[in-house]
Amino acid sequence: VLDFGCGNGSDMQFLSKKGIDLTGIDYSKEMIKRAKSRAKKARVLRIQNNKKEISEKVRNAGFEIILVHAVKK
């Protein structure tokens, strides 16, 4: 599962407790720091505001599910 715009990791924290394999991505350094603290078993990556980079990471990873929840432009 990819949590796109994972923010502080609250969704990831919940899902990781269910044993789900997770990757979270976000633009914010501070949110990535918080997400890593909350969801220790998940992969959490910071991405730049670059549509090509985002597209490549998502396409090449082969995620079965992508969560996009309360993401700001």
Side-chain angles (χ1 to χ4, degrees):
V1 174
L2 170 64
D3 187 353
F4 184 90
C6 65
N8 67 10
S10 60
D11 292 337
M12 292 175 53
Q13 182 181 29
F14 173 78
L15 293 170
S16 66
K17 289 180 181 178
K18 305 291 184 190
I20 295 171
D21 184 26
L22 293 160
T23 298
I25 59 175
D26 205 290
Y27 298 125
S28 167
K29 286 182 185 179
E30 181 60 31
M31 291 297 108
I32 291 297
K33 182 178 174 182
R34 291 180 189 182
K36 284 182 177 180
S37 175
R38 290 182 95 165
K40 295 184 182 355
K41 293 181 182 179
R43 290 178 299 281
V44 185
L45 310 169
R46 181 169 181 259
I47 55 173
Q48 302 300 315
N49 191 6
N50 179 319
K51 290 178 184 176
K52 183 178 179 182
E53 177 189 6
I54 295 166
S55 178
E56 287 175 3
K57 284 184 186 272
V58 171
R59 186 177 328 124
N60 293 336
F63 293 103
E64 292 179 32
I65 298 171
I66 299 174
L67 301 176
V68 181
H69 173 4
V71 175
K72 295 180 181 179
K73 287 185 177 183

